[in-house]
Amino acid sequence: MKQKTERRQRQQRFSLRARLASFSYAFNGLLTMVAEQQNARLHLVAAMSVVSLGALTGLTSLEWMLVLLAITLVWMAEALNTALEYLADAAVPETHELVGKAKDVAAAGVLIAAAFALTVALWAFWPF
């Protein structure tokens, strides 16, 4: 047991190469999500549109902060939802009631984040 612990500690030492690899895995995940998920592409178009509109209308610092927070929350929710769907499909390829419920709840998380983003956008852009 002690040998396993020592081996893990050696493997967990900081490595710039390992950190760079972890970023490449994350960017690969982002590219996979955008390439394979229609909703991710819709979120990308919406985010680009909102950022462009924000640049045109001259949002305040607070408005920018909230808009970017909302965009980030939607992307995080979409990424977690996508990851859960991939894992669920790999673990249980056939239809299963509990897997369906898990996917629905994860999708609800995206819906909640998107509703927040819409609320922020309405607040930030309302007079325009």
Side-chain angles (χ1 to χ4, degrees):
M1 184 69 162
K2 186 177 179 181
Q3 290 175 335
K4 269 189 170 179
T5 303
E6 290 172 1
R7 192 171 354 146
R8 272 194 219 127
Q9 287 174 347
R10 279 195 306 268
Q11 290 173 347
Q12 291 177 355
R13 289 192 181 131
F14 180 81
S15 161
L16 184 58
R17 182 173 290 156
R19 296 299 58 87
L20 291 174
S22 70
F23 277 105
S24 72
Y25 301 144
F27 283 115
N28 185 47
L30 184 61
L31 291 174
T32 298
M33 186 173 67
V34 171
E36 296 181 8
Q37 299 294 316
Q38 275 189 331
N39 286 343
R41 290 191 293 275
L42 290 174
H43 294 311
L44 180 60
V45 169
M48 290 172 28
S49 300
V50 167
V51 168
S52 298
L53 186 59
L56 290 173
T57 59
L59 295 180
T60 67
S61 294
L62 176 63
E63 290 166 339
W64 271 118
M65 186 170 47
L66 290 172
V67 164
L68 294 175
L69 173 65
I71 290 170
T72 301
L73 287 174
V74 170
W75 277 99
M76 288 173 59
E78 185 63 41
L80 293 171
N81 179 53
T82 299
L84 185 136
E85 286 185 358
Y86 286 144
L87 282 173
D89 290 345
V92 186
E94 65 278 351
T95 301
H96 190 283
E97 181 183 355
L98 292 177
V99 171
K101 286 182 179 184
K103 287 180 171 187
D104 290 348
V105 171
V110 179
L111 181 63
I112 292 165
F116 172 72
L118 179 61
T119 302
V120 168
L122 290 173
W123 173 78
F125 296 113
W126 180 249
F128 302 107

